[in-house]
Amino acid sequence: MTRLTPTDAGRAARLDRLSTDGNVLMVPMDHGITMGAVQGLADIESTIDAVTRAGADAVLTQKGIAPRVHPNKNGAGYVIHLNASTTIGPDEDDKRVTGTVKEAVQAGADAVSLHLNVGSQYEPKQIEQLAEVTEQAREFGMPVLAMTYARGEGVDSTDPESLGHAVRLGEELGADLVKTGYSGDADSFERVVESTELPVLIAGGSKGTNRQTVEMVRGAMDAGASGVSMGRSIFQHERPERIATAVSAVIHDDAGVDDALAAGGFEG
C-alpha cells in the first residue's frame, strides 16, 4: 500500500474542503476584475455570507479580495483565480496571469483556478500557463481547477466533442477538477463527462430564469457531473441565498426540479 506524502495529504484535505460528499457547489465571484463592481459584488461580503449559508461549498475570487472573503464564508472552501481579462479591454478571451500559487497559499486559499479558451488564438499561451500552475501547485499540495471552455473562431461552445476535448486537456495538464460549459442536455453532456476521469463542473453562463437554472443543474448531475461553478446566475440574483438553496438541493440532496425550486421558495 502506497502511503500518502504530506504534500499529497494536504492536497486531498484541501479538495475535501471544496465539496460535500464529493459534490461541489462553487460560486465564482472574480467578475469584479472582469466587469467591475456589478450587482452582488459591490457588497461582496453580504453575498458571500448569503450563498455559503445557503449551501455553497466554496467561493472563488481574485487574490486581492481575500481579506473580504475569510470573515464571511462560514467555513466554506476558498479558491483563488490566477488569470483575468476585462470587458473593456481589447479582447476578453486574452486572459493574463494575475497571481501565483504561492500567493494563493499566503492568502489562505484551498485551491487555485485558471481559465483557458480552448480553440482560441490564445490557447497555446494558456496551455503553458496551466502547465506552469499545475507544476507550482504540486510543490504546495494545492489543488487546481482548470476552467476549460470551448471558445474561439468557428468553435461551437456547446458541442459535446469540443467540450470533451476541453476537459480532457485539463486532465492531461495535471488539473484536479475541470469546469466547462453545458452542452444543453443530459444525453450529450454524458459524452463530456466520459472524456475525463476528473470531476466535471458546469459553468452557469448568462443568468436565466430560476427554472432554467435549476433544470440545467439537474441535467448536468443526471449526466454524471460533480456539480457547478456558477457565478452570475447566483450572485446577480435578486435573492442569491434562495437560488443557491435551490441549486444546493439538486447537488447535495438529489432533488428534482420542482422540489429544488420549492426548497428555494420559488413557485413552480
Side-chain angles (χ1 to χ4, degrees), residues 4-5 10 26 35 37 56 90 107 109 156 177 222 247:
L4 290 179
T5 68
M26 184 182 298
M35 304 163 62
D156 181 352
L177 306 160
D222 288 342
V247 173

Side-chain angles (χ1 to χ4, degrees), residues 37-66:
V38 295
Q39 177 185 339
L41 297 184
D43 180 10
I44 197 170
E45 292 88 345
S46 295
T47 305
I48 291 168
D49 177 66
V51 301
T52 53
R53 287 184 183 278
D57 297 293
V59 296
L60 178 153
T61 74
Q62 291 281 339
K63 63 187 180 185
I65 303 297

Side-chain angles (χ1 to χ4, degrees), residues 7 10-11 14 101-102 105 135-142:
T7 302
R11 178 167 148 269
R14 292 183 178 96
V101 175
K102 182 178 180 180
V105 172
E135 180 183 11
Q136 293 175 10
R138 288 298 177 269
E139 296 181 19
F140 290 96
M142 182 70 86

Side-chain angles (χ1 to χ4, degrees), residues 4 10 15 31 81 83 111 127 131 144 155 201 211 239 254:
L4 290 179
L15 276 171
H31 302 65
H81 198 54
N83 64 352
I127 286 176
V144 177
V155 178
L201 311 181
R211 178 168 287 275
R239 295 292 299 275
D254 198 27

Side-chain angles (χ1 to χ4, degrees), residues 187-209:
D187 288 342
S188 63
F189 202 70
E190 281 186 13
R191 288 149 58 192
V192 181
V193 174
E194 290 169 354
S195 299
T196 178
E197 290 190 349
L198 296 183
V200 177
L201 311 181
I202 64 161
S206 300
K207 185 176 178 292
T209 66

